Amino acid sequence: MKVVILAGGRGTRISEESHLKPKPMIEIGDAPILWHIMKSYSYYGFHEFIICLGYKGYIIKEYFANYYRHMSEAITYDFSSGLDNSVHVHRNSVEPWKVTLVDTGLNTMTGSRIKRIEPYVGQEPFMLTYGDGLADIDIEKLIKSHYRSGKLATITGVQPDGRFGRLELEGDAVTGFAEKVRGDGGWINGGYMVCQPEVFNYIDNFDSTILEQAPLQELARDGQLNVYKHEGFWQPMDTLREKYMLDSLWSSQRAPWKIWDR
């Protein structure tokens, strides 16, 4: 099953970084968040990726074109032979990946980006997620939930943490402080979706189609949208504060999404 990753947005809410690079290329630790997402899928045996490019997509192309060099421990450039310069990559990190990079347009909306990669998916089920969020989702359980439902699409439902702690009050007196808690009990779409190829029929062939609007709403109305509830770690990287939080988890070796190294 191929994994489709949306990586074409501008990331305006984290413009401190995204004015230089596409959001999925913002680094957590020493690797782009896109790499972290791909590693988590690869842990479960899914090694074939289709990445939907848009804003500054050439940076993602360059990253994969020189992946061995980016991930190597050392490189020797031999200039002694004149014009026939040689390069030797030492102890490079090899991933079992096949990566297809598709330019889906600069200003294309999410649904339309997915429509444009239909020829690369073919008539097969596929997985789909956003290129700016990390989670410790059990992909095997997600896929089982999808097939068990018999529906055309499955989204992963998450309950994001509240941003702030809560005051504990008795009348006008503060009696304590509660830690950050889960949201108001509602579930939101956390990405990590599984789709049958018929989902493409729900997407208009226009640049302005937003996946989270008409396509998913129509699937829901037709009774064709399943939810897999995930109560573990899930964190988008929408702001610089969230990037620093993910960085801190990674550098302290407490990253819940690092399932490939447990």
Short mmCIF file of all heavy atoms in Angstrom, two decimals, residues 225-253:
data_model
loop_
_atom_site.label_atom_id
_atom_site.label_comp_id
_atom_site.label_asym_id
_atom_site.label_seq_id
_atom_site.Cartn_x
_atom_site.Cartn_y
_atom_site.Cartn_z
N LEU A 225 -17.50 6.92 5.69
CA LEU A 225 -16.35 7.46 6.40
C LEU A 225 -16.25 6.85 7.79
O LEU A 225 -17.12 7.04 8.64
CB LEU A 225 -16.44 8.99 6.50
CG LEU A 225 -15.20 9.72 7.02
CD1 LEU A 225 -13.99 9.44 6.16
CD2 LEU A 225 -15.47 11.23 7.08
N ASN A 226 -15.18 6.12 8.01
CA ASN A 226 -14.92 5.45 9.28
C ASN A 226 -13.93 6.28 10.10
O ASN A 226 -13.14 7.05 9.55
CB ASN A 226 -14.34 4.06 8.99
CG ASN A 226 -13.92 3.31 10.24
OD1 ASN A 226 -14.70 3.19 11.19
ND2 ASN A 226 -12.70 2.79 10.25
N VAL A 227 -13.95 6.12 11.41
CA VAL A 227 -12.95 6.79 12.26
C VAL A 227 -12.24 5.75 13.11
O VAL A 227 -12.86 4.84 13.68
CB VAL A 227 -13.59 7.88 13.15
CG1 VAL A 227 -14.60 7.29 14.12
CG2 VAL A 227 -12.50 8.65 13.91
N TYR A 228 -10.93 5.88 13.16
CA TYR A 228 -10.10 5.09 14.07
C TYR A 228 -9.68 6.03 15.19
O TYR A 228 -8.98 7.02 14.96
CB TYR A 228 -8.88 4.54 13.34
CG TYR A 228 -7.86 3.89 14.26
CD1 TYR A 228 -8.08 2.64 14.82
CD2 TYR A 228 -6.67 4.56 14.56
CE1 TYR A 228 -7.15 2.06 15.66
CE2 TYR A 228 -5.72 3.97 15.40
CZ TYR A 228 -5.98 2.73 15.94
OH TYR A 228 -5.06 2.15 16.79
N LYS A 229 -10.11 5.77 16.41
CA LYS A 229 -9.83 6.67 17.52
C LYS A 229 -8.46 6.36 18.12
O LYS A 229 -8.19 5.25 18.56
CB LYS A 229 -10.93 6.54 18.58
CG LYS A 229 -12.28 7.05 18.12
CD LYS A 229 -13.33 6.92 19.21
CE LYS A 229 -14.69 7.45 18.75
NZ LYS A 229 -15.73 7.29 19.80
N HIS A 230 -7.64 7.39 18.12
CA HIS A 230 -6.28 7.27 18.66
C HIS A 230 -6.17 8.14 19.90
O HIS A 230 -6.37 9.36 19.85
CB HIS A 230 -5.26 7.73 17.62
CG HIS A 230 -3.86 7.79 18.13
ND1 HIS A 230 -3.16 6.67 18.53
CD2 HIS A 230 -3.02 8.85 18.33
CE1 HIS A 230 -1.95 7.03 18.94
NE2 HIS A 230 -1.85 8.35 18.84
N GLU A 231 -5.84 7.50 21.02
CA GLU A 231 -5.76 8.22 22.28
C GLU A 231 -4.33 8.40 22.76
O GLU A 231 -4.08 8.85 23.88
CB GLU A 231 -6.60 7.50 23.34
CG GLU A 231 -8.09 7.46 23.00
CD GLU A 231 -8.92 6.74 24.04
OE1 GLU A 231 -8.33 6.01 24.86
OE2 GLU A 231 -10.15 6.92 24.03
N GLY A 232 -3.38 8.06 21.92
CA GLY A 232 -1.97 8.22 22.27
C GLY A 232 -1.45 9.59 21.86
O GLY A 232 -2.19 10.57 21.75
N PHE A 233 -0.16 9.63 21.57
CA PHE A 233 0.50 10.90 21.23
C PHE A 233 0.11 11.34 19.82
O PHE A 233 0.11 10.55 18.89
CB PHE A 233 2.02 10.73 21.32
CG PHE A 233 2.78 11.96 20.91
CD1 PHE A 233 3.01 12.98 21.82
CD2 PHE A 233 3.25 12.10 19.62
CE1 PHE A 233 3.71 14.12 21.45
CE2 PHE A 233 3.96 13.23 19.22
CZ PHE A 233 4.19 14.24 20.15
N TRP A 234 -0.19 12.60 19.70
CA TRP A 234 -0.43 13.24 18.39
C TRP A 234 -0.11 14.71 18.54
O TRP A 234 -0.58 15.36 19.49
CB TRP A 234 -1.88 13.06 17.94
CG TRP A 234 -2.19 13.82 16.67
CD1 TRP A 234 -1.97 13.40 15.39
CD2 TRP A 234 -2.78 15.12 16.56
NE1 TRP A 234 -2.38 14.35 14.49
CE2 TRP A 234 -2.88 15.43 15.19
CE3 TRP A 234 -3.23 16.06 17.50
CZ2 TRP A 234 -3.40 16.64 14.72
CZ3 TRP A 234 -3.73 17.27 17.04
CH2 TRP A 234 -3.83 17.54 15.65
N GLN A 235 0.69 15.25 17.63
CA GLN A 235 1.06 16.66 17.74
C GLN A 235 1.34 17.25 16.36
O GLN A 235 2.25 16.82 15.66
CB GLN A 235 2.31 16.82 18.62
CG GLN A 235 2.76 18.26 18.78
CD GLN A 235 1.72 19.13 19.44
OE1 GLN A 235 1.25 18.84 20.53
NE2 GLN A 235 1.32 20.22 18.77
N PRO A 236 0.56 18.26 15.96
CA PRO A 236 0.89 18.97 14.72
C PRO A 236 2.01 19.97 14.99
O PRO A 236 2.30 20.30 16.14
CB PRO A 236 -0.42 19.70 14.39
CG PRO A 236 -1.02 19.97 15.74
CD PRO A 236 -0.65 18.78 16.60
N MET A 237 2.64 20.44 13.93
CA MET A 237 3.66 21.47 14.04
C MET A 237 3.20 22.70 13.28
O MET A 237 3.63 22.98 12.17
CB MET A 237 5.01 20.97 13.49
CG MET A 237 6.17 21.92 13.73
SD MET A 237 7.67 21.42 12.85
CE MET A 237 7.14 21.60 11.14
N ASP A 238 2.28 23.43 13.88
CA ASP A 238 1.70 24.61 13.24
C ASP A 238 2.42 25.90 13.60
O ASP A 238 2.33 26.89 12.87
CB ASP A 238 0.23 24.75 13.61
CG ASP A 238 -0.63 23.67 12.95
OD1 ASP A 238 -0.28 23.25 11.83
OD2 ASP A 238 -1.63 23.26 13.56
N THR A 239 3.09 25.91 14.73
CA THR A 239 3.73 27.13 15.22
C THR A 239 5.16 26.84 15.65
O THR A 239 5.56 25.68 15.83
CB THR A 239 2.96 27.70 16.43
OG1 THR A 239 3.07 26.76 17.52
CG2 THR A 239 1.49 27.93 16.10
N LEU A 240 5.93 27.92 15.84
CA LEU A 240 7.30 27.77 16.28
C LEU A 240 7.34 27.16 17.69
O LEU A 240 8.24 26.37 18.01
CB LEU A 240 8.00 29.13 16.27
CG LEU A 240 9.52 29.13 16.16
CD1 LEU A 240 9.98 28.39 14.91
CD2 LEU A 240 10.05 30.57 16.16
N ARG A 241 6.37 27.48 18.51
CA ARG A 241 6.31 26.91 19.86
C ARG A 241 6.18 25.39 19.79
O ARG A 241 6.83 24.66 20.54
CB ARG A 241 5.12 27.50 20.62
CG ARG A 241 4.98 26.98 22.05
CD ARG A 241 3.72 27.51 22.70
NE ARG A 241 2.52 26.99 22.06
CZ ARG A 241 1.95 25.83 22.37
NH1 ARG A 241 2.48 25.05 23.30
NH2 ARG A 241 0.87 25.43 21.73
N GLU A 242 5.33 24.90 18.87
CA GLU A 242 5.16 23.46 18.73
C GLU A 242 6.41 22.79 18.15
O GLU A 242 6.75 21.67 18.52
CB GLU A 242 3.94 23.17 17.87
CG GLU A 242 2.64 23.55 18.58
CD GLU A 242 1.43 23.54 17.68
OE1 GLU A 242 1.58 23.65 16.45
OE2 GLU A 242 0.31 23.43 18.22
N LYS A 243 7.10 23.49 17.26
CA LYS A 243 8.37 22.96 16.75
C LYS A 243 9.38 22.79 17.88
O LYS A 243 10.06 21.76 17.98
CB LYS A 243 8.94 23.89 15.67
CG LYS A 243 10.29 23.43 15.08
CD LYS A 243 11.27 24.55 15.18
CE LYS A 243 12.67 24.29 14.69
NZ LYS A 243 13.25 23.00 14.71
N TYR A 244 9.48 23.80 18.74
CA TYR A 244 10.43 23.72 19.86
C TYR A 244 10.05 22.60 20.82
O TYR A 244 10.92 21.93 21.39
CB TYR A 244 10.48 25.05 20.60
CG TYR A 244 11.12 26.19 19.82
CD1 TYR A 244 10.77 27.50 20.06
CD2 TYR A 244 12.09 25.93 18.85
CE1 TYR A 244 11.35 28.55 19.35
CE2 TYR A 244 12.67 26.96 18.13
CZ TYR A 244 12.30 28.27 18.38
OH TYR A 244 12.88 29.29 17.68
N MET A 245 8.75 22.40 21.02
CA MET A 245 8.31 21.32 21.90
C MET A 245 8.71 19.96 21.33
O MET A 245 9.21 19.08 22.06
CB MET A 245 6.80 21.40 22.10
CG MET A 245 6.24 20.36 23.07
SD MET A 245 5.75 18.83 22.26
CE MET A 245 4.21 19.36 21.53
N LEU A 246 8.50 19.76 20.03
CA LEU A 246 8.89 18.51 19.39
C LEU A 246 10.41 18.33 19.42
O LEU A 246 10.92 17.23 19.65
CB LEU A 246 8.38 18.47 17.95
CG LEU A 246 6.86 18.37 17.79
CD1 LEU A 246 6.45 18.63 16.34
CD2 LEU A 246 6.34 17.03 18.27
N ASP A 247 11.14 19.42 19.20
CA ASP A 247 12.60 19.39 19.30
C ASP A 247 13.05 18.92 20.68
O ASP A 247 13.97 18.11 20.82
CB ASP A 247 13.18 20.78 19.03
CG ASP A 247 13.67 20.94 17.61
OD1 ASP A 247 14.07 19.93 17.00
OD2 ASP A 247 13.67 22.07 17.12
N SER A 248 12.39 19.45 21.70
CA SER A 248 12.75 19.11 23.07
C SER A 248 12.51 17.63 23.36
O SER A 248 13.35 16.96 23.98
CB SER A 248 11.95 19.97 24.05
OG SER A 248 12.22 19.62 25.39
N LEU A 249 11.39 17.10 22.89
CA LEU A 249 11.10 15.68 23.08
C LEU A 249 12.15 14.83 22.38
O LEU A 249 12.61 13.81 22.92
CB LEU A 249 9.71 15.35 22.54
CG LEU A 249 8.52 15.85 23.36
CD1 LEU A 249 7.21 15.63 22.59
CD2 LEU A 249 8.46 15.15 24.71
N TRP A 250 12.55 15.23 21.18
CA TRP A 250 13.52 14.46 20.42
C TRP A 250 14.90 14.50 21.09
O TRP A 250 15.54 13.46 21.26
CB TRP A 250 13.61 15.00 18.99
CG TRP A 250 14.55 14.24 18.12
CD1 TRP A 250 15.84 14.56 17.80
CD2 TRP A 250 14.30 13.00 17.45
NE1 TRP A 250 16.40 13.62 16.98
CE2 TRP A 250 15.47 12.65 16.74
CE3 TRP A 250 13.19 12.16 17.38
CZ2 TRP A 250 15.57 11.49 15.98
CZ3 TRP A 250 13.28 11.00 16.61
CH2 TRP A 250 14.46 10.68 15.93
N SER A 251 15.35 15.69 21.47
CA SER A 251 16.69 15.83 22.02
C SER A 251 16.81 15.16 23.39
O SER A 251 17.90 14.72 23.78
CB SER A 251 17.08 17.31 22.13
OG SER A 251 16.19 18.00 23.00
N SER A 252 15.69 15.07 24.12
CA SER A 252 15.72 14.42 25.44
C SER A 252 15.44 12.92 25.35
O SER A 252 15.30 12.26 26.38
CB SER A 252 14.69 15.09 26.36
OG SER A 252 13.37 14.91 25.86
N GLN A 253 15.35 12.41 24.10
CA GLN A 253 15.10 10.99 23.86
C GLN A 253 13.78 10.53 24.47
O GLN A 253 13.66 9.40 24.95
CB GLN A 253 16.27 10.14 24.37
CG GLN A 253 17.58 10.48 23.69
CD GLN A 253 18.73 9.58 24.12
OE1 GLN A 253 18.61 8.83 25.07
NE2 GLN A 253 19.84 9.64 23.40
#
